[in-house]
Amino acid sequence: MRIRKLSTVVATAATLALLATACSGGGSGADDDSTGGTGGASDKILTIGMPNGPQQPNQNPLATGSASLSLGYAFAVYESLMQVNELKPTDPPTPWLAESVEWNPDSTQAVITAREGVKWSDGTDFTAEDIAFSIQLRKDNKELNTDFPDQYGDITVDGNTVTVNFESGQYVNRDKLLKLLIVPKHLWENEDPVTWTDDEMIGTGPFKLKSFTPQAVTLEPNTDYWGETPKVGTLRYDTFNDNAGLTTALTTGEAQWGWTFIPDFENTFIAKDPEHFHQVAGGGFGVDVLYLNNETKPFDNVAFRKALNMVVDRSDISATAGYGVWPQIKSVTGLPQPSGDAFISDEFADQELTVDVAGAKEVLTEAGYTWDGDALVDPDGEKVTFTLQNPTGWTDYLDALGIIAEGAKELGAEATVEGVVQDTWFNDIIPFGNFQATLHWTDGGSTPWNMYSNIMDGASYVPLGESATWNFGRYKNDAVTAALADFKAGTDDNARSAALDVVQKAFVEDVPGLVIWSRPAVAQYSTVNYTGFPTDEDPYANPQPTGPQAALILSKLVPTED
């Protein structure tokens, strides 16, 4: 077995105690002659677009599926403890609302030092109590705790520091703590944090909520912002019904920043204005997975899961459905390459996914499947049928599902592709397991742990009908759950390597889900009004507007010179 040196997310306290050079001193844009808007900001509008359809009036930045998270404006109003560059996860993070975060050797305790001199947008002082309260909210409310389910221990405050204890080591989850959004205790402590719609949105971020409609949200600069006063005078978030609608908005200039799948993006988008239109993408461990419901037919039978995996043409999916934007997965371990090369077990080092219809039929035959003419019949005597679901308008996903259905047909299984309402998919289909097969992304991170945990971790298992945060396919394997816990808590590279070998062997043999393609962070933007976005040459942040990095990116944007 090869010994792989695994990256450390945050090596030492020293690497965390960095100066926030890009964020110090408010009001620096007030005397800029190029600005003419509110508080010295430009009078140019920056419109961000997302293809998520009309939104309900829910501004809660902690509630999965809220409008503020779906469109991303939560991240311009509320801020995280640190800025983490997801494209370079081994780089030290940049202090933000926390001046430092110090971890103990086994990653079971984090000591957070709050930044001084920060105010909430209603004028109230920001303190360490707000950090502790925001983390306690997640501990006390399962619905809000997607990152550390059942893992928080005691959370205490001493002056300007917060100590967060965990029930197990968080080696692979340090970034998740750093990226948590912080909310004001003085407003949230008397509300139900799960159901509250947070209509006023009092945050520490560079922008404040001005207006909301189901189709468009407008933000205005927070002129008392603790960091670099934003030079963007008006921030607008428009929502479109599908990828095609947002693509049109980006190509016409109606929207200037967003992320969507654009088929043939070079000709469809960039060629419309090569000087100003850009698409950027970064690597990492994020993938898209065909989650299979392991507890219902036909995917409760491992033989059919294996057979389907053997007939899915990932090369065709990447080229046809993904237009080469989403790189093909080749390793049987599901790991994207080259990011995952150092983590592939020796047992699978040279094994690649190939289309093998004859081999898949042999697997089925050995498991007791038969055929009635061309129709596949399971061991119970029932014809094999299933439905593939994803939100209407998500064209890359739906096209990929179509190719998967073609592969299933080669086996004699009847697969139907069904578009569904996005809100229904987010809030009912995915969490409660009301599907047979559906595509969904995984978290990234600096190791493969998130990818495998999101697919296979028994620590995230809940019965069908209960709301799951991950492991949507309800896979259960005690050895895998223990190995994932060992990897997460481990302080020894050899032990983590051995744990990952266990996980990968189960992934290959049990096929709990099908990794379809790699999912680098992709965004499109226009420099007609503003410049300073992340580029391929300067990938200083995940380029998408729907994450904590939005506050950092907005601090770097300046009006384009006419």
Side-chain angles (χ1 to χ4, degrees):
M1 179 186 69
R2 272 185 304 159
I3 303 300
R4 298 176 297 277
K5 188 70 175 178
L6 306 185
S7 302
T8 301
V9 178
V10 181
T12 65
T15 61
L16 282 170
L18 305 175
L19 293 176
T21 55
C23 320
S24 60
S28 64
D31 297 324
D32 190 332
D33 291 337
S34 66
T35 61
T38 303
S42 170
D43 56 6
K44 297 178 179 179
I45 296 174
L46 176 61
T47 300
I48 295 169
M50 287 297 291
N52 293 347
Q55 300 292 307
Q56 297 298 314
N58 184 356
Q59 323 306 339
N60 189 326
L62 308 183
T64 301
S66 70
S68 67
L69 290 179
S70 176
L71 301 187
Y73 57 93
F75 304 104
V77 176
Y78 296 96
E79 296 182 294
S80 59
L81 296 174
M82 292 269 185
Q83 288 290 339
V84 176
N85 187 350
E86 295 175 346
L87 306 188
K88 296 182 177 182
T90 59
D91 283 0
T94 301
W96 213 253
L97 287 183
E99 293 185 351
S100 67
V101 178
E102 300 179 15
W103 290 88
N104 67 352
D106 63 1
S107 300
T108 58
Q109 184 183 87
V111 179
I112 305 165
T113 301
R115 180 178 293 280
E116 297 182 349
V118 177
K119 290 184 179 294
W120 297 99
S121 57
D122 64 357
T124 304
D125 288 338
F126 162 82
T127 70
E129 292 284 352
D130 294 308
I131 295 175
F133 172 78
S134 298
I135 298 173
Q136 189 72 42
L137 278 185
R138 292 165 168 97
K139 177 183 177 181
D140 294 342
N141 295 275
K142 177 181 177 182
E143 301 91 334
L144 307 179
N145 191 12
T146 59
D147 293 320
F148 299 99
D150 301 318
Q151 295 171 58
Y152 285 118
D154 291 338
I155 301 164
T156 59
V157 179
D158 182 10
N160 201 36
T161 65
V162 180
T163 299
V164 182
N165 292 288
F166 294 91
E167 299 295 334
S168 60
Q170 301 299 322
Y171 170 79
V172 299
N173 285 332
R174 291 178 173 187
D175 281 5
K176 291 182 179 180
L177 180 71
L178 305 185
K179 293 191 289 186
L180 291 181
L181 294 184
I182 306 303
V183 297
K185 177 182 179 180
H186 68 284
L187 296 178
W188 282 69
E189 61 185 344
N190 297 318
E191 305 289 347
D192 181 336
V194 177
T195 61
W196 193 36
T197 56
D198 188 25
D199 296 334
E200 293 187 30
M201 297 190 77
I202 302 300
T204 59
F207 285 85
K208 301 187 296 184
L209 178 66
K210 183 177 182 180
S211 65
F212 172 89
T213 72
Q215 290 77 30
V217 179
T218 303
L219 305 185
E220 60 185 356
N222 177 6
T223 55
D224 295 323
Y225 182 50
W226 63 271
E228 186 76 17
T229 301
K231 295 180 175 61
V232 177
T234 300
L235 200 56
R236 179 184 169 100
Y237 291 76
D238 286 354
T239 182
F240 301 87
N241 290 332
D242 50 31
N243 289 355
L246 178 53
T247 298
T248 299
L250 288 165
T251 56
T252 60
E254 180 183 351
Q256 298 94 45
W257 188 16
W259 64 278
T260 188
F261 173 70
I262 301 179
D264 193 17
F265 70 93
E266 290 182 340
N267 291 315
T268 302
F269 173 56
I270 293 177
K272 303 298 182 184
D273 187 351
E275 181 182 354
H276 296 106
F277 289 177
H278 305 273
Q279 176 165 301
V280 292
F285 287 100
V287 297
D288 283 336
V289 179
L290 184 70
Y291 278 91
L292 307 175
N293 192 324
N294 284 228
E295 296 193 339
T296 63
K297 283 192 172 186
F299 300 113
D300 59 346
N301 192 316
V302 65
F304 186 70
R305 300 199 300 267
K306 285 184 177 180
L308 183 63
N309 193 42
M310 295 170 69
V311 297
V312 170
D313 191 339
R314 290 171 172 82
S315 175
D316 187 19
I317 290 176
S318 177
T320 304
Y323 280 81
V325 176
W326 312 132
Q328 177 186 351
I329 292 292
K330 296 183 179 181
S331 172
V332 295
T333 65
L335 287 178
Q337 296 169 287
S339 300
D341 284 344
F343 298 93
I344 296 175
S345 298
D346 290 344
E347 182 178 358
F348 306 114
D350 300 318
Q351 296 187 32
E352 292 192 349
L353 293 158
T354 59
V355 175
D356 183 2
V357 176
K361 288 185 175 180
E362 184 177 343
V363 169
L364 293 171
T365 300
E366 291 176 353
Y369 287 78
T370 58
W371 282 264
D372 180 2
D374 292 332
L376 180 64
V377 180
D378 70 21
D380 296 328
E382 299 178 0
K383 291 184 178 179
V384 178
T385 64
F386 62 93
T387 301
L388 297 150
Q389 292 177 308
N390 271 115
T392 300
W394 292 14
T395 53
D396 54 340
Y397 271 16
L398 294 174
D399 289 346
L401 294 183
I403 296 173
I404 294 169
E406 292 174 4
K409 186 177 181 180
E410 293 287 328
L411 299 175
E414 181 183 347
T416 303
V417 176
E418 178 182 88
V420 296
V421 176
Q422 178 244 333
D423 279 351
T424 303
W425 183 78
F426 268 118
N427 298 312
D428 179 60
I429 291 173
I430 276 289
F432 295 105
N434 294 324
F435 64 87
Q436 290 177 291
T438 184
L439 275 170
H440 192 288
W441 53 90
T442 65
D443 281 342
S446 59
T447 75
W449 185 88
N450 285 302
M451 185 193 90
Y452 288 124
S453 177
N454 293 168
I455 301 170
M456 306 172 67
D457 202 339
S460 298
Y461 175 87
V462 296
L464 289 173
E466 295 183 18
S467 183
T469 54
W470 284 112
N471 191 3
F472 302 120
R474 272 67 178 182
Y475 175 78
K476 286 196 294 186
N477 183 319
D478 290 344
V480 168
T481 301
L484 286 167
D486 288 345
F487 185 98
K488 183 179 71 169
T491 57
D492 176 77
D493 287 323
N494 291 342
R496 281 193 290 265
S497 179
L500 195 58
D501 287 345
V502 173
V503 174
Q504 288 185 2
K505 187 174 181 63
F507 178 84
V508 173
E509 294 181 351
D510 286 357
V511 194
L514 277 60
V515 177
I516 298 301
W517 52 30
S518 175
R519 171 66 74 164
V522 174
Q524 299 86 26
Y525 62 84
S526 165
T527 57
V528 169
N529 286 347
Y530 292 96
T531 61
F533 296 95
T535 64
D536 291 332
E537 295 73 28
D538 183 17
Y540 66 83
N542 177 328
Q544 297 173 344
T546 51
Q549 70 277 357
L552 173 62
I553 296 172
L554 289 167
S555 75
K556 292 180 176 291
L557 298 185
V558 296
T560 301
E561 295 183 3
D562 297 326

